Amino acid sequence: MPLTGCQSQQAAVHLTVKVPRTGHDVVFDESITQIDQVISRMANEFMRDYETPVTVNVEVFEQNQYDEAVVDCFDTDAAADVLYGDYFNISTYIHTGRVVPLDDAITDKVRNDVFEDLWDMSTVKDRVYMMPYLSRQNVFAYNKELFRQAGLERYIESGHIQSWSLSEWNLILDTLAANLPEAVYPMMMYAASSQGDTHIMTLLRAAGSSFFDEDGHFNLSTPEGVAGLRRIQQGVARGWFPPHSENLEIEDCSSLFQKGQLAIYMVNNASINRYGDTIGLVNFPGPDADGCATLFVSGFEVFDNGDAQKVQVAKDFIAYIYAHEELLSYAAGTLPASKRVSEQYGSQITGFDLFANNRGNVVDFTGNNPDARAIREVFYLHIHDLLMGTITPEEAAARLDADCNAIIDAGIAASKLHD
């Protein structure tokens, strides 16, 4: 006969939490270098405190393997119960019908503590499917010394994120192109893959384009949209970009900038530490005088893999994280989603006030469409052809609108939200 003790033991619920390999800094803990270290700490504390036995396994995958880690594991023992990642990657999975709404795991205290614009980006049809943990705001950085060498001292400022008019941008880029040393280039540009294409999307707002229409569809076949594309194509002839930039990756431009061979490159609040006072910050040229910046939000979502108990425990895991300010505080190194954590650690986070004050200039580069990742696999191909000069700006606008809107429409038609 089985022992009485064994009869009373409850089998542990097993959760699989998946997270992409991502560098991460925390202002009060130098031992943290990767986000999975933070999530492992969350998992260990949850296992210790949860009222019934639970095991949480944190699995790390590479940034370019979201689908392999998530979709390819549906209906297997390796399926993710909880996924952490960037919204522009994980939002796609909401429309598979497997991601559960989390409204019942959100207390009024938590709802009031998270910045409202992050809730907006976490919501589909009035239900919260993603829990924001942190964000990174992307702007341009310029190399002050290269600006001095080119005679652009008057544009160098410190202590705030600048904004330049489109005519100022053109003058600056033309001046850099004319005066920089050989093998040193004015500005980043790349179209070899979808990596970094979100910044090119933001650049296309330079001439006043809203990029999306009111229904969230691409809307580049307008005078403003075509002008933004034409400006990029003309930049090739005017020497604004490294040669053959259509064959470059964003990492190639990052390397050039770090070597002092690129005057203007994209940075965010988490990456400015490495440059100190050698750089100035400026918004992307945008539809108004203040310019614009991009916001990359990262957070959690929960999957229903057919086991109601595991879904509940996964939601309890999320609720546990957001009920503990200590666990939320590990976002302090970027821009925390928590207002309380922001207030407590903002003075220690490099550039926190700069980016907090720039929050009103942020644009949503996804348009809240159902398949942002599929769009990215098409978008860069047309930018590649535009940089090559094999298509006109008008043709690029028409092809981008047609191809990307077809993906959006297909995504809407196929979208299935969790019951």
Side-chain angles (χ1 to χ4, degrees), residues 139-142 160-164 169 264 280-284 292:
V139 298
F140 279 126
Y142 60 88
H160 70 109
I161 298 174
Q162 299 168 243
S163 296
W164 299 328
W169 268 101
I264 300 173
L281 302 177
V282 61
N283 276 326
F284 286 69
C292 56

Side-chain angles (χ1 to χ4, degrees), residues 63-203:
Q63 282 281 354
N64 62 351
Q65 294 182 349
Y66 267 91
D67 279 352
E68 291 87 339
V70 180
V71 177
D72 291 355
C73 294
F74 283 162
D75 302 319
T76 74
D77 291 339
D81 299 299
V82 178
L83 175 65
Y84 176 92
D86 291 326
Y87 276 19
F88 70 91
N89 283 315
I90 70 175
S91 61
T92 297
Y93 304 128
I94 295 171
H95 301 275
T96 65
R98 294 174 182 258
V99 177
V100 302
L102 299 170
D103 301 84
D104 59 346
I106 303 169
T107 64
D108 289 342
K109 182 179 179 181
V110 170
R111 188 171 291 278
N112 291 330
D113 182 50
V114 171
F115 289 100
E116 190 61 35
D117 59 336
L118 302 187
W119 284 131
D120 293 341
M121 297 179 69
S122 307
T123 302
V124 177
K125 293 189 176 180
D126 299 324
R127 300 168 88 183
V128 174
Y129 287 89
M130 299 179 290
M131 288 292 287
Y133 186 68
L134 57 82
S135 64
R136 300 177 303 281
Q137 189 183 127
N138 292 33
V139 298
F140 279 126
Y142 60 88
N143 182 311
K144 291 181 177 179
E145 180 55 32
L146 291 180
F147 267 48
R148 294 187 186 99
Q149 290 180 28
L152 293 168
E153 294 92 342
R154 65 190 182 279
Y155 290 101
I156 297 175
E157 297 179 14
S158 298
H160 70 109
I161 298 174
Q162 299 168 243
S163 296
W164 299 328
S165 68
L166 196 56
S167 60
E168 287 176 319
W169 268 101
N170 293 344
L171 184 152
I172 289 167
L173 292 171
D174 284 339
T175 303
L176 290 169
N179 294 292
L180 288 176
E182 185 178 358
V184 181
Y185 312 105
M187 183 178 176
M188 69 177 198
M189 185 57 64
Y190 39 81
S193 76
S194 64
Q195 297 302 303
D197 57 1
T198 52
H199 306 115
I200 309 303
M201 293 181 186
T202 305
L203 269 178

Side-chain angles (χ1 to χ4, degrees), residues 9 35 38 51 55 159 165 218 242 284 322 356 376 400 402:
Q9 273 189 338
I35 191 64
V38 174
E51 59 187 8
T55 61
S165 68
F218 273 51
F284 286 69
Y322 285 80
R376 295 182 64 208
L400 284 165

Side-chain angles (χ1 to χ4, degrees), residues 27 97 118 210 267 281 360 414:
V27 294
L118 302 187
S210 62
V267 295
L281 302 177

Side-chain angles (χ1 to χ4, degrees), residues 138-317:
N138 292 33
V139 298
F140 279 126
Y142 60 88
N143 182 311
K144 291 181 177 179
E145 180 55 32
L146 291 180
F147 267 48
R148 294 187 186 99
Q149 290 180 28
L152 293 168
E153 294 92 342
R154 65 190 182 279
Y155 290 101
I156 297 175
E157 297 179 14
S158 298
H160 70 109
I161 298 174
Q162 299 168 243
S163 296
W164 299 328
S165 68
L166 196 56
S167 60
E168 287 176 319
W169 268 101
N170 293 344
L171 184 152
I172 289 167
L173 292 171
D174 284 339
T175 303
L176 290 169
N179 294 292
L180 288 176
E182 185 178 358
V184 181
Y185 312 105
M187 183 178 176
M188 69 177 198
M189 185 57 64
Y190 39 81
S193 76
S194 64
Q195 297 302 303
D197 57 1
T198 52
H199 306 115
I200 309 303
M201 293 181 186
T202 305
L203 269 178
L204 292 184
R205 298 173 181 262
S209 170
S210 62
F211 201 89
F212 297 106
D213 64 18
E214 293 180 355
D215 297 322
H217 285 75
F218 273 51
N219 191 31
L220 293 173
S221 294
T222 63
E224 297 82 4
V226 171
L229 290 159
R230 181 175 294 109
R231 186 171 177 275
I232 287 179
Q233 190 174 68
Q234 290 177 346
V236 176
R238 293 164 77 165
W240 290 357
F241 316 129
H244 303 293
S245 56
E246 69 276 3
N247 297 323
L248 296 182
E249 300 274 3
I250 187 172
E251 285 302 318
D252 297 320
C253 290
S254 174
S255 178
L256 287 172
F257 188 69
Q258 292 182 51
K259 293 176 182 176
Q261 293 179 257
L262 194 64
I264 300 173
Y265 177 67
M266 178 281 308
V267 295
N268 59 46
N269 52 285
S271 66
I272 59 174
N273 284 322
R274 66 179 69 136
Y275 301 111
D277 192 45
T278 65
I279 61 171
L281 302 177
V282 61
N283 276 326
F284 286 69
D288 57 37
D290 293 327
C292 56
T294 60
L295 188 68
F296 290 76
V297 184
S298 299
F300 300 89
E301 62 186 12
V302 170
F303 288 83
D304 183 350
N305 294 305
D307 185 327
Q309 183 182 23
K310 292 183 74 171
V311 171
Q312 185 58 56
V313 175
K315 291 166 75 171
D316 290 344
F317 174 55

